[in-house]
Amino acid sequence: MKGKHIVVGVTAGIAAYKAVELVSRLYKAGAEVKVVMTRNATKFVSPLVFGEISKHKVAVEMFENVQDWNVEHIAYATWADAYVIAPATANMIAKMAYGIADDMLSTQLLATTAPVFVCPAMNSNMYAHPTVQENLSILRGRGVHVLEPDSGLLACGVEGKGRLPDPQKIMDWVDFHLGKTELLQGKTVIVSAGGTQEAIDPVRYITNRSSGKMGYAVALKAAQAGAKTILVSAPTDLAVPIGVERIIVCSATEMKEAIDSHYDSADAVIMAAAVADYRVAEVANNKIKKQETMILELVKNPDILASLGERKQQQKLIGFAAETQDVIAYGKEKVRKKNLDMLVANDVSKSNAGFDVDTNEVTFIYPGDQIVSLPNMSKLDVAERIIQALADL
Ligand code: C5P
């Protein structure tokens, strides 16, 4: 979002107050934001509020005293890198579908060539009305991005579909589309993420400290690069990344089955999951009673990545290695042993890398011991570099 010019169009839905937070988040993320409101929207939220947080004058009227000699609606329309209409009323959606330009916002929407993002929010019957649905499909057909509203209790007291999604969700969605590339267009990529859970009994399991954040970031970036992305994830609290198909698994055995079933048609597998090396030999059917000492017999899990490496065809394989010592030496050995095209190695003993933090410091290791070390950066930036490296492969 940094440096992007975003026009936020606010129309007269009760959710207009949520647009305040959207503008604030966009501003904090480094975007330059200008707000355009319909006259009715100003009855819900004062333009002063948007003016203060966007640090720009808010446009409402078409025929105000002009302060500079730009034709104002054209000036906005050409300045914008994107238009985000949140909330978008049925009325504004209809105007957009039929080219009605009777106020500042609808006129700008005809004048701009920037991508347009529409976030409908209204009563659930209005949203389901065939007219609204037809108008939305007209807009989709023209390449306008439409974000499905959330379901829940609406301001009118009805349960149903029509809520404006969270400002962060809107922002992530816009960011995803503005950053889209065709680096991996037409490719299928499997990404694994999270720490597997190996059952001891019906209430207990063995796991590890993986949060899944790195794998989820990689899946998001793969989808953003145009790949059909299948995320095979151990249980986490993380939301499904935009544009990604997610399969939730628990144990290493389940993870192997899920990956194997998609492997033949995949072009790449990126194994970011922390797969448990061992599982309990015999899972108890009932909760094990407390005892003074307890001995669990563990047996080795299959090495998923190594088995993929053994039957590799067209697939590119990228592994991860989390170590606390001799990261590079162990990494080189893993590339050979698992028949990888690249390994992402990191030292998880560092406080700003590895488990549960949002940053990572990694080294790419290739066959032939070629090495590329990256500085500390956000996991999203690391993910982008991994996807670029995969495209290069
Ligand atoms: O050998 P090591 O566990 O360090 O290798 C890590 C890499 O291998 C990771 O990419 C991890 O997802 C994968 N792995 C696997 N199956 C296992 C253990 C690790 O696929 N049982």
Side-chain angles (χ1 to χ4, degrees):
M1 283 294 174
K2 216 172 175 56
K4 286 263 164 29
H5 290 178
I6 311 286
V7 176
V8 175
V10 182
T11 69
I14 184 73
Y17 74 93
K18 289 192 192 167
V20 175
E21 198 186 327
L22 174 65
V23 172
S24 165
R25 283 182 187 232
L26 286 165
Y27 182 83
K28 284 180 190 152
E32 205 177 324
V33 190
K34 291 186 181 179
V35 176
V36 183
M37 302 177 80
T38 60
R39 201 173 301 152
N40 285 336
T42 66
K43 301 203 172 114
F44 287 107
V45 181
S46 162
L48 265 179
V49 179
F50 286 113
E52 284 295 327
I53 53 173
S54 68
K55 318 285 182 229
H56 279 291
K57 183 181 138 235
V58 174
V60 180
E61 299 294 343
M62 265 310 269
F63 304 106
E64 264 187 341
N65 278 341
V66 182
Q67 315 234 316
D68 54 44
W69 293 104
N70 268 331
V71 180
E72 209 177 5
H73 63 278
I74 304 293
Y76 271 74
T78 48
W79 175 85
D81 292 316
Y83 270 77
V84 184
I85 317 302
T89 55
N91 182 47
M92 183 54 70
I93 290 165
K95 288 205 261 185
M96 289 173 74
Y98 287 95
I100 294 169
D102 63 352
D103 64 9
M104 187 53 148
L105 181 57
S106 53
T107 307
Q108 287 188 25
L109 287 167
L110 274 186
T112 192
T113 54
V116 178
F117 298 83
V118 172
C119 308
M122 64 198 74
N123 162 275
S124 51
N125 287 342
M126 284 177 82
Y127 183 68
H129 196 286
T131 311
V132 173
Q133 288 305 316
E134 272 174 43
N135 289 341
L136 285 172
S137 64
I138 289 174
L139 295 183
R140 283 195 192 95
R142 288 186 200 139
V144 171
H145 302 277
V146 178
L147 183 62
E148 285 273 298
D150 283 349
S151 295
L153 183 63
L154 306 178
C156 51
V158 174
E159 281 280 331
K161 194 171 190 178
R163 281 166 63 95
L164 186 71
D166 264 359
Q168 189 61 48
K169 186 169 167 187
I170 297 174
M171 228 174 97
D172 291 345
W173 172 68
V174 173
D175 198 30
F176 178 84
H177 287 287
L178 289 181
K180 262 199 120 174
T181 67
E182 295 187 344
L183 268 180
L184 297 178
Q185 196 65 42
K187 304 287 181 194
T188 300
V189 176
I190 301 173
V191 181
S192 71
T196 60
Q197 297 179 352
E198 307 299 327
I200 297 171
D201 65 19
V203 292
R204 306 179 180 102
Y205 56 80
I206 300 172
T207 191
N208 56 64
R209 292 184 55 200
S210 168
S211 63
K213 285 180 181 170
M214 192 63 244
Y216 274 60
V218 170
L220 177 75
K221 290 293 171 187
Q224 202 175 26
K228 173 177 187 245
T229 307
I230 303 165
L231 173 61
V232 180
S233 170
T236 75
D237 293 334
L238 302 172
V240 186
I242 300 167
V244 168
E245 178 194 333
R246 182 173 71 170
I247 302 169
I248 292 281
V249 294
C250 275
S251 63
T253 314
E254 280 177 34
M255 182 169 275
K256 182 170 177 359
E257 273 171 24
I259 294 174
D260 281 349
S261 69
H262 290 92
Y263 188 52
D264 289 348
S265 54
D267 297 290
V269 180
I270 305 175
M271 280 292 297
V275 185
D277 290 316
Y278 300 93
R279 68 177 180 277
V280 177
E282 253 176 81
V283 180
N285 288 330
N286 293 303
K287 186 178 171 191
I288 300 170
K289 287 286 165 215
K290 220 178 285 180
Q291 332 166 10
E292 261 332 297
T293 56
M294 184 176 154
I295 295 172
L296 281 176
E297 191 190 341
L298 302 179
V299 292
K300 210 155 185 228
N301 266 330
D303 190 315
I304 304 171
L305 190 53
S307 77
L308 300 177
E310 277 167 20
R311 55 196 176 94
K312 186 159 84 167
Q313 302 281 334
Q314 77 281 5
Q315 298 92 345
K316 298 292 172 196
L317 290 184
I318 299 183
F320 273 70
E323 298 288 352
T324 53
Q325 55 189 8
D326 295 333
V327 181
I328 304 297
Y330 282 129
K332 288 177 180 172
E333 197 182 313
K334 257 170 234 182
V335 171
R336 271 188 291 278
K337 266 174 61 182
K338 303 197 189 199
N339 194 16
L340 305 182
D341 298 282
M342 188 178 114
L343 183 91
V344 182
N346 65 333
D347 181 346
V348 289
S349 64
K350 290 186 179 167
S351 61
N352 57 357
F355 298 130
D356 223 17
V357 290
D358 292 323
T359 53
N360 215 351
E361 195 174 312
V362 303
T363 300
F364 293 169
I365 305 175
Y366 294 91
D369 294 349
Q370 188 203 340
I371 278 176
V372 178
S373 291
L374 304 184
N376 192 279
M377 57 178 84
S378 75
K379 283 186 176 171
L380 270 172
D381 287 339
V382 173
E384 201 165 304
R385 302 287 280 265
I386 292 170
I387 293 304
Q388 180 62 60
L390 173 60
D392 292 345
L393 282 170

